[in-house]
């Protein structure tokens, strides 16, 4: 390490004299003699924890760093920490030994003193730790400003590495305060190192908490209501319209939702629900823990806020008005939180709350016998989701606070792992036509002609209609169209989103110009956003996907004028964060910056991806979830034709890339040779259309198959999983549950239709399927599964023998078509009418608990 001052005599071991003329390196070398001159000072080191913690410090804080080391090793064992003064032998290279030590270490503690930001050596160590992807824990050993600034008040080079780090205070003069923070540090280190606490004597039994005073409980509930009101009372349907905020109940429209159900055979199905009232945890047989999942923009957070509104306002017909206590926490903000009580204290109560952390712990204890509901919003943005020991996972698994009911929202691609079988799953399916009309009438306009015009434009463009299944897009479309936009002419997701961004920027520029308060070169800032693109891309492709930045550092990266414009537009949003203070200290608040919605981050990240793929050697990070970032790739393909072709090539090289290729390929107006090669590889294996897929994904898959067929590319196999509903008699296309149609594909080789279990296919439906198959010239095999086909004395088809398979799923009843008759695959017997009637009875009994058969019986009754 490179230090900025010399050792004093009291810092040296006895018997070593430091001459004033000695420099830093010679001083370090002298100190390395300590173990040689005084071998009795050597420590026994536990191999499992040896040198796992590297302590970086400026020389003037040496005594504080040594005290920190002493306290850590008292808990974690001697030799756990590495400090250069004790571990570098005489004659060894300082630089190389520091690099070796940090490479070996799991955690780097930065003991930050007032001199630390100006130390060249410390800056090098922090940079090295960042490059090695080490866990950095900033520990403030002096009362220094955060974010760090050097003696000139300038952000040091290391500041960008510390930008998203939470710090621990360790500078209190009060020994009790230091011990509190030391305990927090030790617990953090144990988690990071994967070690368990040393055995301690069993303490005397702690008596259960006494019931808290009615005054404290009343204060707690009142403050939760105040904070909840602040959450739901500032909804912005359109980012740049800040002068007109709405309470959530003024804009909330129920989205479609389905509940995941399993029968006694573990068959999974999704049941449509009539209202969000049906998902309240712990009531009507519902599980204590409910997961609400949905794609980006499907209204998960808005739904959570509506529940908060119901509780705060005691909405009479809502079960969410019932809990004694309702707590809503955005998991994006809870990185580093040690407990639910700490999270509540920091984010669910007012800054000036008189309730202490201990009070909160007591108030939510099961001994209080209160009905408590905790809503965890945006698990997909939770910084600690990869930390298996986080308190959220402990609650979800029932390790702690098992008396608390939980609702958790997340993207469909980010379901918490290891959940119990009793955990409920609710899936949001978005807006249908009726919901879109209800929103327009409730929020946009009540004029019948205006409503009709908006809906007509939506129906003109089917791609736009699919996109507006997501409430976020539907809301944006409705408002922009009402203001005179001709959005129905846009033909892709990228064109729609790009037009939307342009409208936002133009509106804000005009508004700022009229007020004579616009930053210089507004147009330049609107069009030149490479720095923002890079920040968004790096955040989205990192393990944590944290699209939140410290305001000071963010402005330093992008510039004041750029920042003002994008905050004014509403693309960027400012938020206040509060740290829980140490005893006797005031709370510290800081401003952070995030995107209005994660999709906006994906839009700007797409520009940077295009720049990256211009280098043919670029490859996608292995850790990223392609489905989670599907809009990033779709936007990139729509923004740049050559770059989009390269993106599709990279996606096609991934084992999990087929779905992403299906979504991205329609964004390209022309397919290059690379794209054709990638598509050929994709359709050479299985292609599927699931009932649960969004309309956007279903349409994209159909478009991919159509264009592949037009290019004479053989399509190996198409699976329809529960998505088939009927046959269009005019076009002989297969109609899907979504209303979309799969047309005849001339190069299709195999078609497999898996119907809902227990379905009984009509004569017209079966005849239509056969005609569809006959018109697919290269079709070699047709298979239909889980259903009962109608009896026909002779099945009219031109398909050759062994091309048509019927699998009922009833044991022993699998058939192949032979000369217009069904032949049992095992016995070779021809299916007679009598045998068929027996099969009908067995089939209906086998599938008696499936929804299709239940509905059939209900209709007959």
């Amino acid at each position: 390490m490179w230090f900025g001052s010399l050792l004093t005599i009291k810092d040296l071991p006895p018997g070593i004299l430091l001459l004033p003329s000695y420099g830093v390196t010679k001083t370090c070398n002298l100190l390395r003699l300590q173990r040689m001159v005084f071998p009795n000072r050597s420590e026994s080191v536990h191999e499992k924890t040896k040198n796992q913690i590297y302590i970086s410090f400026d020389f003037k804080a040496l005594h504080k760093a040594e005290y920190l080391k002493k306290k850590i090793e008292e808990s974690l064992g001697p030799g756990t920490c590495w400090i250069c003064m004790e571990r570098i032998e005489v004659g060894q290279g300082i630089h190389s030994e520091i690099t070796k030590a940090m490479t070996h270490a799991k955690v780097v503690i930065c003991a930050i003193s007032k001199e630390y930001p100006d130390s060249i050596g410390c800056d090098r160590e922090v940079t090295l730790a960042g490059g090695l992807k080490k866990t950095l824990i900033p520990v403030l050993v002096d009362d220094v400003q955060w974010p760090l600034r050097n003696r000139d008040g300038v952000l040091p080079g290391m500041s960008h590495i510390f930008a998203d780090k939470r710090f621990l205070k360790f500078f209190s003069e009060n020994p009790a305060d230091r011990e509190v923070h030391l305990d927090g540090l030790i617990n953090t280190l144990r988690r990071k190192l994967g070690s368990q606490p040393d055995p301690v004597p069993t303490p005397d039994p702690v008596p259960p908490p006494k019931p808290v005073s009615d005054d404290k409980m009343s204060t707690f509930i009142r403050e939760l209501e105040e904070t909840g009101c602040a959450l739901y009372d500032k909804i912005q349907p359109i980012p740049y319209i800040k002068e007109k905020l709405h309470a959530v109940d003024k804009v909330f429209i129920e989205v479609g939702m389905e509940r995941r159900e399993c029968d006694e055979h573990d068959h999974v199905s999704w049941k449509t629900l009539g209202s969000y009232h049906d998902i309240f945890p712990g009531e009507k047989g519902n599980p204590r823990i409910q997961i609400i999942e949905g794609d980006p923009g499907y209204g998960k957070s808005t739904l959570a806020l509506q529940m908060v509104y119901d509780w705060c306002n005691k909405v009479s017909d809502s079960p969410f008005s019932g809990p004694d206590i309702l707590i809503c926490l955005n998991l994006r903000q809870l990185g580093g939180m040690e407990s639910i009580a700490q999270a509540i204290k920091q984010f669910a109560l007012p800054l000036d709350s008189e309730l202490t952390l201990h009070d909160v712990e007591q108030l939510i204890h099961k001994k209080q016998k209160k009905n408590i509901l905790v809503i965890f919003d945006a698990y997909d943005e939770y910084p600690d989701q990869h930390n298996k020991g986080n308190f959220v996972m402990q609650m979800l698994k029932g390790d702690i606070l098992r008396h608390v009911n939980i609702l958790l929202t997340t993207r469909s691609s980010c379901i918490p792992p290891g959940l119990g079988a009793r955990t409920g799953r609710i899936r949001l399916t978005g807006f249908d036509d009726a919901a879109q009309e209800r929103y327009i009438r409730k929020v946009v306009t009540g004029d019948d002609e205006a409503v009709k015009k908006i809906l007509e434009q939506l129906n003109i463009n089917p791609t736009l209609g699919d996109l507006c299944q997501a409430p976020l897009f539907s809301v944006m479309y409705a408002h922009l169209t009402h203001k005179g936009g001709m959005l129905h002419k846009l033909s892709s997701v990228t064109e729609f989103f790009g037009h939307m961004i342009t409208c936002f920027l133009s509106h804000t520029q005009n508004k700022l110009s009229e007020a004579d308060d616009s930053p210089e070169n507004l147009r330049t800032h609107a069009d030149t956003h490479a720095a923002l693109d890079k920040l968004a891309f790096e955040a989205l492709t990192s393990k944590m996907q944290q699209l939140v930045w410290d305001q000071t550092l963010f402005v330093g990266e992008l510039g004041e004028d750029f920042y003002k414009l994008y905050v004014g537009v509403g693309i960027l949003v400012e938020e206040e964060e509060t740290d829980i203070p140490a005893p006797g200290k005031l709370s510290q608040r800081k401003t952070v910056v995030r995107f209005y919605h994660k999709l906006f981050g994906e839009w700007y990240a797409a520009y940077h991806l295009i720049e990256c793929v211009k280098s043919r050697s670029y490859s996608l990070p292995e850790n990223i979830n392609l489905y989670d970032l599907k809009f990033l790739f779709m936007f990139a393909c729509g923004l740049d034709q050559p770059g989009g072709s390269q993106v599709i090539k990279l996606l096609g090289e991934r084992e999990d890339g087929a779905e992403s290729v299906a979504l991205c390929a329609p964004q390209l107006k022309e397919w290059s040779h690379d794209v054709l090669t990638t598509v050929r590889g994709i359709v050479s294996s299985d292609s599927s259309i699931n009932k649960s897929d969004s309309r956007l994904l279903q349409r994209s898959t159909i478009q991919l198959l159509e264009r592949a067929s037009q290019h004479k590319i053989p399509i190996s196999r198409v699976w329809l999983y529960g998505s088939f509903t009927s046959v269009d008699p005019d076009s002989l296309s297969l109609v899907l549950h979504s209303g979309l149609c799969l047309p005849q594909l001339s190069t299709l080789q195999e078609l497999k239709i898996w119907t809902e279990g227990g379905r009984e296919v009509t004569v017209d439906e079966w005849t239509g399927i056969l005609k569809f198959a006959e018109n697919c010239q290269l079709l070699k095999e047709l298979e239909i599964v889980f259903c009962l086909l109608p009896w026909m004395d002779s099945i009219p088809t031109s398909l050759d023998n062994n091309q048509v398979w019927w699998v009922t799923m009833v044991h022993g009843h699998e058939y192949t078509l032979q000369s217009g008759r069904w032949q049992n695959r095992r016995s070779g017997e021809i299916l007679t009418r009598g045998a068929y009637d027996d099969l009908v009875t067995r089939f209906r009994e086998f599938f008696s608990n499936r929804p299709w058969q239940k509905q059939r019986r209900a209709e007959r009754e």
Side-chain angles (χ1 to χ4, degrees), residues 178-192:
R178 284 201 303 271
E179 290 302 316
V180 169
H181 293 295
L182 179 63
D183 288 344
L185 176 61
I186 296 300
N187 289 334
T188 299
L189 291 172
R190 282 190 172 123
R191 289 200 316 275
K192 299 298 183 184

mmCIF file with all atom_site columns, all heavy atoms in Angstrom, residues 178-192:
data_model
loop_
_atom_site.group_PDB
_atom_site.id
_atom_site.type_symbol
_atom_site.label_atom_id
_atom_site.label_alt_id
_atom_site.label_comp_id
_atom_site.label_asym_id
_atom_site.label_entity_id
_atom_site.label_seq_id
_atom_site.pdbx_PDB_ins_code
_atom_site.Cartn_x
_atom_site.Cartn_y
_atom_site.Cartn_z
_atom_site.occupancy
_atom_site.B_iso_or_equiv
_atom_site.pdbx_formal_charge
_atom_site.auth_seq_id
_atom_site.auth_comp_id
_atom_site.auth_asym_id
_atom_site.auth_atom_id
_atom_site.pdbx_PDB_model_num
ATOM 1   N N   . ARG A 1 178 ? -20.328 2.070   18.680 1.00 0.00 ? 178 ARG A N   1
ATOM 2   C CA  . ARG A 1 178 ? -19.369 1.332   17.852 1.00 0.00 ? 178 ARG A CA  1
ATOM 3   C C   . ARG A 1 178 ? -19.655 -0.165  17.898 1.00 0.00 ? 178 ARG A C   1
ATOM 4   O O   . ARG A 1 178 ? -19.544 -0.857  16.890 1.00 0.00 ? 178 ARG A O   1
ATOM 5   C CB  . ARG A 1 178 ? -17.940 1.614   18.323 1.00 0.00 ? 178 ARG A CB  1
ATOM 6   C CG  . ARG A 1 178 ? -17.407 2.972   17.919 1.00 0.00 ? 178 ARG A CG  1
ATOM 7   C CD  . ARG A 1 178 ? -15.893 2.997   17.937 1.00 0.00 ? 178 ARG A CD  1
ATOM 8   N NE  . ARG A 1 178 ? -15.341 2.642   19.235 1.00 0.00 ? 178 ARG A NE  1
ATOM 9   C CZ  . ARG A 1 178 ? -15.090 3.528   20.207 1.00 0.00 ? 178 ARG A CZ  1
ATOM 10  N NH1 . ARG A 1 178 ? -15.348 4.808   20.026 1.00 0.00 ? 178 ARG A NH1 1
ATOM 11  N NH2 . ARG A 1 178 ? -14.576 3.121   21.358 1.00 0.00 ? 178 ARG A NH2 1
ATOM 12  N N   . GLU A 1 179 ? -20.043 -0.658  19.065 1.00 0.00 ? 179 GLU A N   1
ATOM 13  C CA  . GLU A 1 179 ? -20.322 -2.081  19.189 1.00 0.00 ? 179 GLU A CA  1
ATOM 14  C C   . GLU A 1 179 ? -21.546 -2.485  18.360 1.00 0.00 ? 179 GLU A C   1
ATOM 15  O O   . GLU A 1 179 ? -21.579 -3.552  17.758 1.00 0.00 ? 179 GLU A O   1
ATOM 16  C CB  . GLU A 1 179 ? -20.543 -2.446  20.663 1.00 0.00 ? 179 GLU A CB  1
ATOM 17  C CG  . GLU A 1 179 ? -19.285 -2.384  21.518 1.00 0.00 ? 179 GLU A CG  1
ATOM 18  C CD  . GLU A 1 179 ? -18.180 -3.292  20.987 1.00 0.00 ? 179 GLU A CD  1
ATOM 19  O OE1 . GLU A 1 179 ? -18.482 -4.448  20.624 1.00 0.00 ? 179 GLU A OE1 1
ATOM 20  O OE2 . GLU A 1 179 ? -17.023 -2.842  20.922 1.00 0.00 ? 179 GLU A OE2 1
ATOM 21  N N   . VAL A 1 180 ? -22.550 -1.600  18.336 1.00 0.00 ? 180 VAL A N   1
ATOM 22  C CA  . VAL A 1 180 ? -23.746 -1.888  17.536 1.00 0.00 ? 180 VAL A CA  1
ATOM 23  C C   . VAL A 1 180 ? -23.374 -2.044  16.068 1.00 0.00 ? 180 VAL A C   1
ATOM 24  O O   . VAL A 1 180 ? -23.786 -2.990  15.385 1.00 0.00 ? 180 VAL A O   1
ATOM 25  C CB  . VAL A 1 180 ? -24.799 -0.773  17.706 1.00 0.00 ? 180 VAL A CB  1
ATOM 26  C CG1 . VAL A 1 180 ? -25.923 -0.936  16.676 1.00 0.00 ? 180 VAL A CG1 1
ATOM 27  C CG2 . VAL A 1 180 ? -25.368 -0.793  19.118 1.00 0.00 ? 180 VAL A CG2 1
ATOM 28  N N   . HIS A 1 181 ? -22.569 -1.099  15.557 1.00 0.00 ? 181 HIS A N   1
ATOM 29  C CA  . HIS A 1 181 ? -22.177 -1.158  14.148 1.00 0.00 ? 181 HIS A CA  1
ATOM 30  C C   . HIS A 1 181 ? -21.201 -2.297  13.884 1.00 0.00 ? 181 HIS A C   1
ATOM 31  O O   . HIS A 1 181 ? -21.208 -2.887  12.804 1.00 0.00 ? 181 HIS A O   1
ATOM 32  C CB  . HIS A 1 181 ? -21.576 0.178   13.728 1.00 0.00 ? 181 HIS A CB  1
ATOM 33  C CG  . HIS A 1 181 ? -22.565 1.296   13.714 1.00 0.00 ? 181 HIS A CG  1
ATOM 34  N ND1 . HIS A 1 181 ? -23.633 1.337   12.852 1.00 0.00 ? 181 HIS A ND1 1
ATOM 35  C CD2 . HIS A 1 181 ? -22.674 2.415   14.489 1.00 0.00 ? 181 HIS A CD2 1
ATOM 36  C CE1 . HIS A 1 181 ? -24.355 2.417   13.076 1.00 0.00 ? 181 HIS A CE1 1
ATOM 37  N NE2 . HIS A 1 181 ? -23.802 3.085   14.061 1.00 0.00 ? 181 HIS A NE2 1
ATOM 38  N N   . LEU A 1 182 ? -20.370 -2.603  14.881 1.00 0.00 ? 182 LEU A N   1
ATOM 39  C CA  . LEU A 1 182 ? -19.457 -3.726  14.730 1.00 0.00 ? 182 LEU A CA  1
ATOM 40  C C   . LEU A 1 182 ? -20.234 -5.026  14.601 1.00 0.00 ? 182 LEU A C   1
ATOM 41  O O   . LEU A 1 182 ? -19.908 -5.877  13.765 1.00 0.00 ? 182 LEU A O   1
ATOM 42  C CB  . LEU A 1 182 ? -18.501 -3.790  15.926 1.00 0.00 ? 182 LEU A CB  1
ATOM 43  C CG  . LEU A 1 182 ? -17.493 -4.945  15.896 1.00 0.00 ? 182 LEU A CG  1
ATOM 44  C CD1 . LEU A 1 182 ? -16.561 -4.799  14.697 1.00 0.00 ? 182 LEU A CD1 1
ATOM 45  C CD2 . LEU A 1 182 ? -16.693 -4.995  17.190 1.00 0.00 ? 182 LEU A CD2 1
ATOM 46  N N   . ASP A 1 183 ? -21.295 -5.189  15.396 1.00 0.00 ? 183 ASP A N   1
ATOM 47  C CA  . ASP A 1 183 ? -22.120 -6.399  15.285 1.00 0.00 ? 183 ASP A CA  1
ATOM 48  C C   . ASP A 1 183 ? -22.721 -6.524  13.892 1.00 0.00 ? 183 ASP A C   1
ATOM 49  O O   . ASP A 1 183 ? -22.771 -7.614  13.309 1.00 0.00 ? 183 ASP A O   1
ATOM 50  C CB  . ASP A 1 183 ? -23.245 -6.351  16.328 1.00 0.00 ? 183 ASP A CB  1
ATOM 51  C CG  . ASP A 1 183 ? -22.725 -6.570  17.756 1.00 0.00 ? 183 ASP A CG  1
ATOM 52  O OD1 . ASP A 1 183 ? -21.592 -7.049  17.883 1.00 0.00 ? 183 ASP A OD1 1
ATOM 53  O OD2 . ASP A 1 183 ? -23.456 -6.233  18.706 1.00 0.00 ? 183 ASP A OD2 1
ATOM 54  N N   . GLY A 1 184 ? -23.184 -5.396  13.353 1.00 0.00 ? 184 GLY A N   1
ATOM 55  C CA  . GLY A 1 184 ? -23.735 -5.420  11.998 1.00 0.00 ? 184 GLY A CA  1
ATOM 56  C C   . GLY A 1 184 ? -22.691 -5.818  10.972 1.00 0.00 ? 184 GLY A C   1
ATOM 57  O O   . GLY A 1 184 ? -22.967 -6.587  10.045 1.00 0.00 ? 184 GLY A O   1
ATOM 58  N N   . LEU A 1 185 ? -21.464 -5.308  11.140 1.00 0.00 ? 185 LEU A N   1
ATOM 59  C CA  . LEU A 1 185 ? -20.379 -5.655  10.223 1.00 0.00 ? 185 LEU A CA  1
ATOM 60  C C   . LEU A 1 185 ? -20.041 -7.134  10.318 1.00 0.00 ? 185 LEU A C   1
ATOM 61  O O   . LEU A 1 185 ? -19.861 -7.814  9.297  1.00 0.00 ? 185 LEU A O   1
ATOM 62  C CB  . LEU A 1 185 ? -19.147 -4.794  10.537 1.00 0.00 ? 185 LEU A CB  1
ATOM 63  C CG  . LEU A 1 185 ? -17.880 -5.106  9.731  1.00 0.00 ? 185 LEU A CG  1
ATOM 64  C CD1 . LEU A 1 185 ? -18.124 -4.901  8.241  1.00 0.00 ? 185 LEU A CD1 1
ATOM 65  C CD2 . LEU A 1 185 ? -16.721 -4.246  10.202 1.00 0.00 ? 185 LEU A CD2 1
ATOM 66  N N   . ILE A 1 186 ? -19.947 -7.658  11.552 1.00 0.00 ? 186 ILE A N   1
ATOM 67  C CA  . ILE A 1 186 ? -19.602 -9.068  11.735 1.00 0.00 ? 186 ILE A CA  1
ATOM 68  C C   . ILE A 1 186 ? -20.658 -9.962  11.092 1.00 0.00 ? 186 ILE A C   1
ATOM 69  O O   . ILE A 1 186 ? -20.340 -10.947 10.411 1.00 0.00 ? 186 ILE A O   1
ATOM 70  C CB  . ILE A 1 186 ? -19.461 -9.396  13.237 1.00 0.00 ? 186 ILE A CB  1
ATOM 71  C CG1 . ILE A 1 186 ? -18.286 -8.605  13.855 1.00 0.00 ? 186 ILE A CG1 1
ATOM 72  C CG2 . ILE A 1 186 ? -19.252 -10.893 13.432 1.00 0.00 ? 186 ILE A CG2 1
ATOM 73  C CD1 . ILE A 1 186 ? -16.944 -8.893  13.245 1.00 0.00 ? 186 ILE A CD1 1
ATOM 74  N N   . ASN A 1 187 ? -21.923 -9.631  11.290 1.00 0.00 ? 187 ASN A N   1
ATOM 75  C CA  . ASN A 1 187 ? -22.995 -10.436 10.692 1.00 0.00 ? 187 ASN A CA  1
ATOM 76  C C   . ASN A 1 187 ? -22.922 -10.411 9.175  1.00 0.00 ? 187 ASN A C   1
ATOM 77  O O   . ASN A 1 187 ? -23.129 -11.432 8.501  1.00 0.00 ? 187 ASN A O   1
ATOM 78  C CB  . ASN A 1 187 ? -24.360 -9.925  11.163 1.00 0.00 ? 187 ASN A CB  1
ATOM 79  C CG  . ASN A 1 187 ? -24.624 -10.228 12.626 1.00 0.00 ? 187 ASN A CG  1
ATOM 80  O OD1 . ASN A 1 187 ? -24.076 -11.190 13.170 1.00 0.00 ? 187 ASN A OD1 1
ATOM 81  N ND2 . ASN A 1 187 ? -25.445 -9.414  13.282 1.00 0.00 ? 187 ASN A ND2 1
ATOM 82  N N   . THR A 1 188 ? -22.631 -9.224  8.616  1.00 0.00 ? 188 THR A N   1
ATOM 83  C CA  . THR A 1 188 ? -22.485 -9.110  7.161  1.00 0.00 ? 188 THR A CA  1
ATOM 84  C C   . THR A 1 188 ? -21.335 -9.970  6.665  1.00 0.00 ? 188 THR A C   1
ATOM 85  O O   . THR A 1 188 ? -21.446 -10.679 5.658  1.00 0.00 ? 188 THR A O   1
ATOM 86  C CB  . THR A 1 188 ? -22.257 -7.643  6.769  1.00 0.00 ? 188 THR A CB  1
ATOM 87  O OG1 . THR A 1 188 ? -23.384 -6.861  7.178  1.00 0.00 ? 188 THR A OG1 1
ATOM 88  C CG2 . THR A 1 188 ? -22.072 -7.506  5.260  1.00 0.00 ? 188 THR A CG2 1
ATOM 89  N N   . LEU A 1 189 ? -20.204 -9.924  7.385  1.00 0.00 ? 189 LEU A N   1
ATOM 90  C CA  . LEU A 1 189 ? -19.031 -10.705 6.978  1.00 0.00 ? 189 LEU A CA  1
ATOM 91  C C   . LEU A 1 189 ? -19.314 -12.201 7.064  1.00 0.00 ? 189 LEU A C   1
ATOM 92  O O   . LEU A 1 189 ? -18.883 -12.970 6.200  1.00 0.00 ? 189 LEU A O   1
ATOM 93  C CB  . LEU A 1 189 ? -17.831 -10.338 7.859  1.00 0.00 ? 189 LEU A CB  1
ATOM 94  C CG  . LEU A 1 189 ? -17.255 -8.929  7.652  1.00 0.00 ? 189 LEU A CG  1
ATOM 95  C CD1 . LEU A 1 189 ? -16.208 -8.616  8.706  1.00 0.00 ? 189 LEU A CD1 1
ATOM 96  C CD2 . LEU A 1 189 ? -16.669 -8.789  6.255  1.00 0.00 ? 189 LEU A CD2 1
ATOM 97  N N   . ARG A 1 190 ? -20.031 -12.621 8.091  1.00 0.00 ? 190 ARG A N   1
ATOM 98  C CA  . ARG A 1 190 ? -20.363 -14.046 8.206  1.00 0.00 ? 190 ARG A CA  1
ATOM 99  C C   . ARG A 1 190 ? -21.166 -14.518 7.000  1.00 0.00 ? 190 ARG A C   1
ATOM 100 O O   . ARG A 1 190 ? -20.954 -15.608 6.475  1.00 0.00 ? 190 ARG A O   1
ATOM 101 C CB  . ARG A 1 190 ? -21.137 -14.298 9.499  1.00 0.00 ? 190 ARG A CB  1
ATOM 102 C CG  . ARG A 1 190 ? -20.239 -14.335 10.738 1.00 0.00 ? 190 ARG A CG  1
ATOM 103 C CD  . ARG A 1 190 ? -21.009 -14.821 11.954 1.00 0.00 ? 190 ARG A CD  1
ATOM 104 N NE  . ARG A 1 190 ? -20.093 -15.025 13.077 1.00 0.00 ? 190 ARG A NE  1
ATOM 105 C CZ  . ARG A 1 190 ? -20.218 -14.438 14.252 1.00 0.00 ? 190 ARG A CZ  1
ATOM 106 N NH1 . ARG A 1 190 ? -21.223 -13.617 14.464 1.00 0.00 ? 190 ARG A NH1 1
ATOM 107 N NH2 . ARG A 1 190 ? -19.356 -14.680 15.212 1.00 0.00 ? 190 ARG A NH2 1
ATOM 108 N N   . ARG A 1 191 ? -22.120 -13.690 6.571  1.00 0.00 ? 191 ARG A N   1
ATOM 109 C CA  . ARG A 1 191 ? -22.916 -14.059 5.395  1.00 0.00 ? 191 ARG A CA  1
ATOM 110 C C   . ARG A 1 191 ? -22.051 -14.129 4.153  1.00 0.00 ? 191 ARG A C   1
ATOM 111 O O   . ARG A 1 191 ? -22.169 -15.043 3.347  1.00 0.00 ? 191 ARG A O   1
ATOM 112 C CB  . ARG A 1 191 ? -24.054 -13.058 5.173  1.00 0.00 ? 191 ARG A CB  1
ATOM 113 C CG  . ARG A 1 191 ? -25.167 -13.129 6.192  1.00 0.00 ? 191 ARG A CG  1
ATOM 114 C CD  . ARG A 1 191 ? -26.437 -12.468 5.631  1.00 0.00 ? 191 ARG A CD  1
ATOM 115 N NE  . ARG A 1 191 ? -26.160 -11.207 4.957  1.00 0.00 ? 191 ARG A NE  1
ATOM 116 C CZ  . ARG A 1 191 ? -26.071 -10.040 5.571  1.00 0.00 ? 191 ARG A CZ  1
ATOM 117 N NH1 . ARG A 1 191 ? -26.238 -9.973  6.871  1.00 0.00 ? 191 ARG A NH1 1
ATOM 118 N NH2 . ARG A 1 191 ? -25.824 -8.936  4.887  1.00 0.00 ? 191 ARG A NH2 1
ATOM 119 N N   . LYS A 1 192 ? -21.195 -13.135 3.983  1.00 0.00 ? 192 LYS A N   1
ATOM 120 C CA  . LYS A 1 192 ? -20.368 -13.082 2.774  1.00 0.00 ? 192 LYS A CA  1
ATOM 121 C C   . LYS A 1 192 ? -19.362 -14.224 2.735  1.00 0.00 ? 192 LYS A C   1
ATOM 122 O O   . LYS A 1 192 ? -19.035 -14.745 1.662  1.00 0.00 ? 192 LYS A O   1
ATOM 123 C CB  . LYS A 1 192 ? -19.639 -11.742 2.694  1.00 0.00 ? 192 LYS A CB  1
ATOM 124 C CG  . LYS A 1 192 ? -20.549 -10.519 2.627  1.00 0.00 ? 192 LYS A CG  1
ATOM 125 C CD  . LYS A 1 192 ? -21.417 -10.516 1.409  1.00 0.00 ? 192 LYS A CD  1
ATOM 126 C CE  . LYS A 1 192 ? -22.255 -9.259  1.324  1.00 0.00 ? 192 LYS A CE  1
ATOM 127 N NZ  . LYS A 1 192 ? -23.180 -9.280  0.168  1.00 0.00 ? 192 LYS A NZ  1
#
